[in-house]
Amino acid sequence: MRKPIIAGNWKMNKTPAEAVELVKGLIPLVKDAKCDVVVCPTAVCLPAVAEVIKGTNIKLGAQNVHFAEKGAYTGELSADMLKAVGCEYVIVGHSERRQYFGETDKTVNLRATAAVKAGLTAIICVGEMKDERVDGYTDIIVAYQTKMALKGLTAEELNHVVIAYEPVWAIGTGLTATDEQANETIGVIRKAIAEVYGDDVAQKVRIQYGGSMKGSNVKGLMAQPEIDGGLIGGASLKAEDFAQVVNF
Ligand code: 13P
């Protein structure tokens, strides 16, 4: 019922020339994908990658967006700017932004709202830290982050939201949540959405897993009923690796 979506978060990797090379390699490998395919290069690579993926089934996403339309926000990019260079998606509230750049539930909500109102689809990241899982707070944390991120958005606007459940301890560590852990926590996120918007709306929202997802573990994760795709870091930086995930 929910079409899977696999997105590559390239993080701070690849020059424009390298990004073009990667995506050119990817195009033939994912052309028959049954899921939505998104790549999220750095901002400087967006125009070049947009040009190469024209007419293909690969969609473009950015890694962050500011909430103002324009103004004195040095270093930031508006939703309209991202749209102008061909973005349809934008990642919001990645744990690296929360950890290293002072992103809060409030700013995640502002950024997600700006993205959605401008017509982008926001891939909103939520996830617990290692000690939060050990202490038994995972469900509370992910439910709270989800509700705060979506605050003020209408049920209609949730058509333009994807949630990415990324346990922070699984990102870039080689540690993956077990299929069951990921499925269970994504179920908690869906329940949190249902508490605000009702079950019909919650059943339509796509929720990805992210955290050391790769060719060798994608099948097990994607076989879980709650998991609707993946947000892929390391394994999105080589065409063959990412294609293995996409063609799960
Ligand atoms: P890795 O796949 O490298 O663990 O990164 C996951 C991630 O943070 C995607 O946004």
Side-chain angles (χ1 to χ4, degrees), residues 7-11 91 94-96 125 164 166-167 170-175 209-214 230-237:
N9 174 9
W10 295 2
K11 306 191 180 182
I91 298 169
H94 191 278
S95 66
E96 285 148 17
C125 304
E166 298 206 308
I171 295 176
T173 58
L175 296 172
Y209 168 76
S212 301
M213 196 167 172
K214 48 186 180 281
L231 185 56
I232 319 300
S236 70
L237 295 175

PDB file of all heavy atoms in Angstrom, residues 7-11 91 94-96 125 164 166-167 170-175 209-214 230-237, ligand 1:
ATOM      1  N   ALA A   7      16.435   6.558  -0.043  1.00  0.00           N
ATOM      2  CA  ALA A   7      17.130   7.819  -0.292  1.00  0.00           C
ATOM      3  C   ALA A   7      18.590   7.705   0.135  1.00  0.00           C
ATOM      4  O   ALA A   7      18.894   7.100   1.175  1.00  0.00           O
ATOM      5  CB  ALA A   7      16.448   8.955   0.470  1.00  0.00           C
ATOM      6  N   GLY A   8      19.472   8.269  -0.659  1.00  0.00           N
ATOM      7  CA  GLY A   8      20.887   8.297  -0.324  1.00  0.00           C
ATOM      8  C   GLY A   8      21.246   9.653   0.249  1.00  0.00           C
ATOM      9  O   GLY A   8      21.053  10.683  -0.400  1.00  0.00           O
ATOM     10  N   ASN A   9      21.759   9.645   1.475  1.00  0.00           N
ATOM     11  CA  ASN A   9      22.235  10.876   2.099  1.00  0.00           C
ATOM     12  C   ASN A   9      23.752  10.884   1.955  1.00  0.00           C
ATOM     13  O   ASN A   9      24.450  10.169   2.663  1.00  0.00           O
ATOM     14  CB  ASN A   9      21.823  10.899   3.579  1.00  0.00           C
ATOM     15  CG  ASN A   9      22.405  12.092   4.316  1.00  0.00           C
ATOM     16  OD1 ASN A   9      22.981  12.994   3.703  1.00  0.00           O
ATOM     17  ND2 ASN A   9      22.255  12.096   5.630  1.00  0.00           N
ATOM     18  N   TRP A  10      24.215  11.678   1.028  1.00  0.00           N
ATOM     19  CA  TRP A  10      25.656  11.684   0.731  1.00  0.00           C
ATOM     20  C   TRP A  10      26.456  12.454   1.781  1.00  0.00           C
ATOM     21  O   TRP A  10      27.685  12.456   1.734  1.00  0.00           O
ATOM     22  CB  TRP A  10      25.904  12.272  -0.667  1.00  0.00           C
ATOM     23  CG  TRP A  10      25.335  11.442  -1.784  1.00  0.00           C
ATOM     24  CD1 TRP A  10      24.614  10.279  -1.677  1.00  0.00           C
ATOM     25  CD2 TRP A  10      25.452  11.702  -3.200  1.00  0.00           C
ATOM     26  NE1 TRP A  10      24.277   9.813  -2.919  1.00  0.00           N
ATOM     27  CE2 TRP A  10      24.770  10.662  -3.873  1.00  0.00           C
ATOM     28  CE3 TRP A  10      26.059  12.717  -3.959  1.00  0.00           C
ATOM     29  CZ2 TRP A  10      24.685  10.610  -5.266  1.00  0.00           C
ATOM     30  CZ3 TRP A  10      25.971  12.663  -5.341  1.00  0.00           C
ATOM     31  CH2 TRP A  10      25.291  11.611  -5.978  1.00  0.00           C
ATOM     32  N   LYS A  11      25.772  13.142   2.674  1.00  0.00           N
ATOM     33  CA  LYS A  11      26.437  13.920   3.730  1.00  0.00           C
ATOM     34  C   LYS A  11      27.504  14.833   3.097  1.00  0.00           C
ATOM     35  O   LYS A  11      27.312  15.298   1.980  1.00  0.00           O
ATOM     36  CB  LYS A  11      27.000  12.980   4.801  1.00  0.00           C
ATOM     37  CG  LYS A  11      25.905  12.036   5.338  1.00  0.00           C
ATOM     38  CD  LYS A  11      26.307  11.265   6.552  1.00  0.00           C
ATOM     39  CE  LYS A  11      25.136  10.364   6.986  1.00  0.00           C
ATOM     40  NZ  LYS A  11      25.426   9.610   8.211  1.00  0.00           N
ATOM     41  N   ILE A  91      16.097  16.625   3.424  1.00  0.00           N
ATOM     42  CA  ILE A  91      16.260  15.988   4.736  1.00  0.00           C
ATOM     43  C   ILE A  91      16.194  17.089   5.801  1.00  0.00           C
ATOM     44  O   ILE A  91      16.785  18.157   5.635  1.00  0.00           O
ATOM     45  CB  ILE A  91      17.631  15.272   4.824  1.00  0.00           C
ATOM     46  CG1 ILE A  91      17.721  14.163   3.771  1.00  0.00           C
ATOM     47  CG2 ILE A  91      17.863  14.701   6.225  1.00  0.00           C
ATOM     48  CD1 ILE A  91      19.136  13.589   3.603  1.00  0.00           C
ATOM     49  N   HIS A  94      18.378  15.852  10.640  1.00  0.00           N
ATOM     50  CA  HIS A  94      19.286  14.696  10.757  1.00  0.00           C
ATOM     51  C   HIS A  94      20.008  14.759  12.103  1.00  0.00           C
ATOM     52  O   HIS A  94      20.325  15.833  12.596  1.00  0.00           O
ATOM     53  CB  HIS A  94      20.298  14.707   9.603  1.00  0.00           C
ATOM     54  CG  HIS A  94      21.057  13.425   9.520  1.00  0.00           C
ATOM     55  ND1 HIS A  94      22.149  13.173  10.319  1.00  0.00           N
ATOM     56  CD2 HIS A  94      20.857  12.316   8.774  1.00  0.00           C
ATOM     57  CE1 HIS A  94      22.593  11.948  10.058  1.00  0.00           C
ATOM     58  NE2 HIS A  94      21.838  11.410   9.121  1.00  0.00           N
ATOM     59  N   SER A  95      20.311  13.610  12.665  1.00  0.00           N
ATOM     60  CA  SER A  95      20.923  13.587  14.005  1.00  0.00           C
ATOM     61  C   SER A  95      22.273  14.299  14.020  1.00  0.00           C
ATOM     62  O   SER A  95      22.673  14.839  15.053  1.00  0.00           O
ATOM     63  CB  SER A  95      21.076  12.161  14.513  1.00  0.00           C
ATOM     64  OG  SER A  95      21.996  11.457  13.719  1.00  0.00           O
ATOM     65  N   GLU A  96      22.968  14.303  12.866  1.00  0.00           N
ATOM     66  CA  GLU A  96      24.247  15.030  12.836  1.00  0.00           C
ATOM     67  C   GLU A  96      24.004  16.525  12.976  1.00  0.00           C
ATOM     68  O   GLU A  96      24.805  17.236  13.592  1.00  0.00           O
ATOM     69  CB  GLU A  96      25.009  14.689  11.545  1.00  0.00           C
ATOM     70  CG  GLU A  96      25.609  13.293  11.629  1.00  0.00           C
ATOM     71  CD  GLU A  96      25.683  12.554  10.315  1.00  0.00           C
ATOM     72  OE1 GLU A  96      25.583  13.184   9.251  1.00  0.00           O
ATOM     73  OE2 GLU A  96      25.835  11.308  10.353  1.00  0.00           O
ATOM     74  N   CYS A 125      14.049  13.367  10.222  1.00  0.00           N
ATOM     75  CA  CYS A 125      14.777  12.323  10.947  1.00  0.00           C
ATOM     76  C   CYS A 125      14.488  12.385  12.445  1.00  0.00           C
ATOM     77  O   CYS A 125      14.515  13.469  13.048  1.00  0.00           O
ATOM     78  CB  CYS A 125      16.274  12.477  10.745  1.00  0.00           C
ATOM     79  SG  CYS A 125      16.767  12.466   9.011  1.00  0.00           S
ATOM     80  N   ALA A 164      12.157   9.464   8.805  1.00  0.00           N
ATOM     81  CA  ALA A 164      13.284   8.519   8.804  1.00  0.00           C
ATOM     82  C   ALA A 164      13.630   8.202  10.257  1.00  0.00           C
ATOM     83  O   ALA A 164      14.035   9.107  11.006  1.00  0.00           O
ATOM     84  CB  ALA A 164      14.488   9.114   8.090  1.00  0.00           C
ATOM     85  N   GLU A 166      16.168   6.939  12.533  1.00  0.00           N
ATOM     86  CA  GLU A 166      17.600   6.656  12.526  1.00  0.00           C
ATOM     87  C   GLU A 166      18.125   6.602  13.965  1.00  0.00           C
ATOM     88  O   GLU A 166      18.424   7.655  14.552  1.00  0.00           O
ATOM     89  CB  GLU A 166      18.349   7.751  11.752  1.00  0.00           C
ATOM     90  CG  GLU A 166      17.950   7.844  10.298  1.00  0.00           C
ATOM     91  CD  GLU A 166      19.067   8.430   9.435  1.00  0.00           C
ATOM     92  OE1 GLU A 166      19.597   9.503   9.766  1.00  0.00           O
ATOM     93  OE2 GLU A 166      19.412   7.781   8.443  1.00  0.00           O
ATOM     94  N   PRO A 167      18.240   5.416  14.524  1.00  0.00           N
ATOM     95  CA  PRO A 167      18.842   5.324  15.855  1.00  0.00           C
ATOM     96  C   PRO A 167      20.272   5.846  15.785  1.00  0.00           C
ATOM     97  O   PRO A 167      21.053   5.383  14.947  1.00  0.00           O
ATOM     98  CB  PRO A 167      18.804   3.828  16.174  1.00  0.00           C
ATOM     99  CG  PRO A 167      18.472   3.119  14.914  1.00  0.00           C
ATOM    100  CD  PRO A 167      17.922   4.101  13.940  1.00  0.00           C
ATOM    101  N   ALA A 170      23.331   3.680  15.541  1.00  0.00           N
ATOM    102  CA  ALA A 170      23.487   2.799  14.374  1.00  0.00           C
ATOM    103  C   ALA A 170      24.051   3.548  13.164  1.00  0.00           C
ATOM    104  O   ALA A 170      24.306   2.938  12.134  1.00  0.00           O
ATOM    105  CB  ALA A 170      22.142   2.183  14.010  1.00  0.00           C
ATOM    106  N   ILE A 171      24.248   4.861  13.305  1.00  0.00           N
ATOM    107  CA  ILE A 171      24.672   5.651  12.152  1.00  0.00           C
ATOM    108  C   ILE A 171      26.186   5.611  11.999  1.00  0.00           C
ATOM    109  O   ILE A 171      26.915   6.021  12.910  1.00  0.00           O
ATOM    110  CB  ILE A 171      24.194   7.116  12.279  1.00  0.00           C
ATOM    111  CG1 ILE A 171      22.660   7.156  12.234  1.00  0.00           C
ATOM    112  CG2 ILE A 171      24.798   7.979  11.195  1.00  0.00           C
ATOM    113  CD1 ILE A 171      22.078   8.532  12.446  1.00  0.00           C
ATOM    114  N   GLY A 172      26.636   5.089  10.868  1.00  0.00           N
ATOM    115  CA  GLY A 172      28.057   5.085  10.554  1.00  0.00           C
ATOM    116  C   GLY A 172      28.886   4.186  11.455  1.00  0.00           C
ATOM    117  O   GLY A 172      30.110   4.254  11.455  1.00  0.00           O
ATOM    118  N   THR A 173      28.225   3.345  12.228  1.00  0.00           N
ATOM    119  CA  THR A 173      28.938   2.525  13.200  1.00  0.00           C
ATOM    120  C   THR A 173      29.036   1.075  12.758  1.00  0.00           C
ATOM    121  O   THR A 173      29.762   0.288  13.368  1.00  0.00           O
ATOM    122  CB  THR A 173      28.185   2.527  14.550  1.00  0.00           C
ATOM    123  OG1 THR A 173      26.852   2.032  14.309  1.00  0.00           O
ATOM    124  CG2 THR A 173      28.118   3.910  15.148  1.00  0.00           C
ATOM    125  N   GLY A 174      28.292   0.709  11.722  1.00  0.00           N
ATOM    126  CA  GLY A 174      28.224  -0.697  11.331  1.00  0.00           C
ATOM    127  C   GLY A 174      27.215  -1.465  12.172  1.00  0.00           C
ATOM    128  O   GLY A 174      26.858  -2.587  11.861  1.00  0.00           O
ATOM    129  N   LEU A 175      26.761  -0.835  13.275  1.00  0.00           N
ATOM    130  CA  LEU A 175      25.717  -1.470  14.095  1.00  0.00           C
ATOM    131  C   LEU A 175      24.368  -1.164  13.458  1.00  0.00           C
ATOM    132  O   LEU A 175      24.081  -0.017  13.145  1.00  0.00           O
ATOM    133  CB  LEU A 175      25.705  -0.877  15.513  1.00  0.00           C
ATOM    134  CG  LEU A 175      26.936  -1.086  16.375  1.00  0.00           C
ATOM    135  CD1 LEU A 175      26.800  -0.266  17.656  1.00  0.00           C
ATOM    136  CD2 LEU A 175      27.067  -2.570  16.714  1.00  0.00           C
ATOM    137  N   TYR A 209      13.832   3.378   7.621  1.00  0.00           N
ATOM    138  CA  TYR A 209      14.854   3.075   8.612  1.00  0.00           C
ATOM    139  C   TYR A 209      16.177   3.622   8.087  1.00  0.00           C
ATOM    140  O   TYR A 209      16.431   3.600   6.875  1.00  0.00           O
ATOM    141  CB  TYR A 209      14.980   1.562   8.843  1.00  0.00           C
ATOM    142  CG  TYR A 209      16.221   1.256   9.648  1.00  0.00           C
ATOM    143  CD1 TYR A 209      16.248   1.484  11.022  1.00  0.00           C
ATOM    144  CD2 TYR A 209      17.391   0.836   9.018  1.00  0.00           C
ATOM    145  CE1 TYR A 209      17.404   1.286  11.750  1.00  0.00           C
ATOM    146  CE2 TYR A 209      18.559   0.627   9.753  1.00  0.00           C
ATOM    147  CZ  TYR A 209      18.550   0.859  11.109  1.00  0.00           C
ATOM    148  OH  TYR A 209      19.705   0.680  11.829  1.00  0.00           O
ATOM    149  N   GLY A 210      17.041   4.086   8.966  1.00  0.00           N
ATOM    150  CA  GLY A 210      18.384   4.507   8.568  1.00  0.00           C
ATOM    151  C   GLY A 210      19.380   4.178   9.655  1.00  0.00           C
ATOM    152  O   GLY A 210      19.071   4.282  10.853  1.00  0.00           O
ATOM    153  N   GLY A 211      20.569   3.764   9.252  1.00  0.00           N
ATOM    154  CA  GLY A 211      21.618   3.422  10.214  1.00  0.00           C
ATOM    155  C   GLY A 211      22.303   2.145   9.776  1.00  0.00           C
ATOM    156  O   GLY A 211      21.798   1.048  10.025  1.00  0.00           O
ATOM    157  N   SER A 212      23.430   2.320   9.044  1.00  0.00           N
ATOM    158  CA  SER A 212      24.199   1.168   8.547  1.00  0.00           C
ATOM    159  C   SER A 212      23.348   0.206   7.710  1.00  0.00           C
ATOM    160  O   SER A 212      23.560  -1.003   7.734  1.00  0.00           O
ATOM    161  CB  SER A 212      24.879   0.419   9.700  1.00  0.00           C
ATOM    162  OG  SER A 212      25.758   1.298  10.399  1.00  0.00           O
ATOM    163  N   MET A 213      22.392   0.745   6.984  1.00  0.00           N
ATOM    164  CA  MET A 213      21.586  -0.087   6.074  1.00  0.00           C
ATOM    165  C   MET A 213      22.391  -0.288   4.798  1.00  0.00           C
ATOM    166  O   MET A 213      22.981   0.663   4.277  1.00  0.00           O
ATOM    167  CB  MET A 213      20.262   0.602   5.783  1.00  0.00           C
ATOM    168  CG  MET A 213      19.197  -0.289   5.179  1.00  0.00           C
ATOM    169  SD  MET A 213      17.620   0.584   5.276  1.00  0.00           S
ATOM    170  CE  MET A 213      16.566  -0.480   4.327  1.00  0.00           C
ATOM    171  N   LYS A 214      22.416  -1.514   4.304  1.00  0.00           N
ATOM    172  CA  LYS A 214      23.233  -1.823   3.132  1.00  0.00           C
ATOM    173  C   LYS A 214      22.705  -3.067   2.437  1.00  0.00           C
ATOM    174  O   LYS A 214      21.735  -3.678   2.913  1.00  0.00           O
ATOM    175  CB  LYS A 214      24.692  -1.998   3.534  1.00  0.00           C
ATOM    176  CG  LYS A 214      24.917  -2.895   4.739  1.00  0.00           C
ATOM    177  CD  LYS A 214      26.379  -2.884   5.150  1.00  0.00           C
ATOM    178  CE  LYS A 214      26.634  -3.774   6.347  1.00  0.00           C
ATOM    179  NZ  LYS A 214      26.276  -3.202   7.636  1.00  0.00           N
ATOM    180  N   GLY A 230      14.520   3.218   3.204  1.00  0.00           N
ATOM    181  CA  GLY A 230      15.735   3.463   3.950  1.00  0.00           C
ATOM    182  C   GLY A 230      16.343   4.814   3.632  1.00  0.00           C
ATOM    183  O   GLY A 230      16.161   5.360   2.534  1.00  0.00           O
ATOM    184  N   LEU A 231      17.045   5.364   4.622  1.00  0.00           N
ATOM    185  CA  LEU A 231      17.877   6.549   4.404  1.00  0.00           C
ATOM    186  C   LEU A 231      19.313   6.055   4.594  1.00  0.00           C
ATOM    187  O   LEU A 231      19.698   5.642   5.688  1.00  0.00           O
ATOM    188  CB  LEU A 231      17.513   7.652   5.401  1.00  0.00           C
ATOM    189  CG  LEU A 231      18.214   9.004   5.224  1.00  0.00           C
ATOM    190  CD1 LEU A 231      18.010   9.567   3.815  1.00  0.00           C
ATOM    191  CD2 LEU A 231      17.677  10.020   6.247  1.00  0.00           C
ATOM    192  N   ILE A 232      20.053   6.102   3.501  1.00  0.00           N
ATOM    193  CA  ILE A 232      21.313   5.384   3.418  1.00  0.00           C
ATOM    194  C   ILE A 232      22.482   6.360   3.408  1.00  0.00           C
ATOM    195  O   ILE A 232      22.512   7.258   2.550  1.00  0.00           O
ATOM    196  CB  ILE A 232      21.377   4.546   2.105  1.00  0.00           C
ATOM    197  CG1 ILE A 232      20.031   3.866   1.798  1.00  0.00           C
ATOM    198  CG2 ILE A 232      22.537   3.556   2.148  1.00  0.00           C
ATOM    199  CD1 ILE A 232      19.546   2.910   2.847  1.00  0.00           C
ATOM    200  N   GLY A 233      23.437   6.173   4.296  1.00  0.00           N
ATOM    201  CA  GLY A 233      24.624   7.024   4.316  1.00  0.00           C
ATOM    202  C   GLY A 233      25.750   6.371   3.545  1.00  0.00           C
ATOM    203  O   GLY A 233      25.829   6.450   2.318  1.00  0.00           O
ATOM    204  N   GLY A 234      26.633   5.694   4.262  1.00  0.00           N
ATOM    205  CA  GLY A 234      27.837   5.101   3.673  1.00  0.00           C
ATOM    206  C   GLY A 234      27.585   4.304   2.400  1.00  0.00           C
ATOM    207  O   GLY A 234      28.321   4.444   1.418  1.00  0.00           O
ATOM    208  N   ALA A 235      26.554   3.489   2.411  1.00  0.00           N
ATOM    209  CA  ALA A 235      26.290   2.617   1.263  1.00  0.00           C
ATOM    210  C   ALA A 235      25.637   3.360   0.086  1.00  0.00           C
ATOM    211  O   ALA A 235      25.282   2.731  -0.901  1.00  0.00           O
ATOM    212  CB  ALA A 235      25.422   1.436   1.681  1.00  0.00           C
ATOM    213  N   SER A 236      25.499   4.670   0.203  1.00  0.00           N
ATOM    214  CA  SER A 236      24.959   5.415  -0.956  1.00  0.00           C
ATOM    215  C   SER A 236      26.078   6.080  -1.752  1.00  0.00           C
ATOM    216  O   SER A 236      25.822   6.737  -2.764  1.00  0.00           O
ATOM    217  CB  SER A 236      23.946   6.475  -0.502  1.00  0.00           C
ATOM    218  OG  SER A 236      24.585   7.535   0.191  1.00  0.00           O
ATOM    219  N   LEU A 237      27.325   5.902  -1.299  1.00  0.00           N
ATOM    220  CA  LEU A 237      28.436   6.638  -1.928  1.00  0.00           C
ATOM    221  C   LEU A 237      29.102   5.883  -3.070  1.00  0.00           C
ATOM    222  O   LEU A 237      30.008   6.406  -3.715  1.00  0.00           O
ATOM    223  CB  LEU A 237      29.477   7.003  -0.858  1.00  0.00           C
ATOM    224  CG  LEU A 237      28.969   7.977   0.218  1.00  0.00           C
ATOM    225  CD1 LEU A 237      30.014   8.179   1.300  1.00  0.00           C
ATOM    226  CD2 LEU A 237      28.581   9.327  -0.402  1.00  0.00           C
TER     227      LEU A 237
HETATM  228  P1  13P B   1      25.006   5.223   7.530  1.00  0.00           P
HETATM  229  O1  13P B   1      24.179   4.464   6.508  1.00  0.00           O
HETATM  230  O2  13P B   1      26.368   5.569   7.061  1.00  0.00           O
HETATM  231  O3  13P B   1      24.986   4.549   8.868  1.00  0.00           O
HETATM  232  O4  13P B   1      24.251   6.628   7.730  1.00  0.00           O
HETATM  233  C1  13P B   1      22.908   6.632   7.963  1.00  0.00           C
HETATM  234  C2  13P B   1      22.426   8.036   7.903  1.00  0.00           C
HETATM  235  O5  13P B   1      22.737   8.832   8.745  1.00  0.00           O
HETATM  236  C3  13P B   1      21.601   8.431   6.760  1.00  0.00           C
HETATM  237  O6  13P B   1      21.054   9.683   6.956  1.00  0.00           O
END
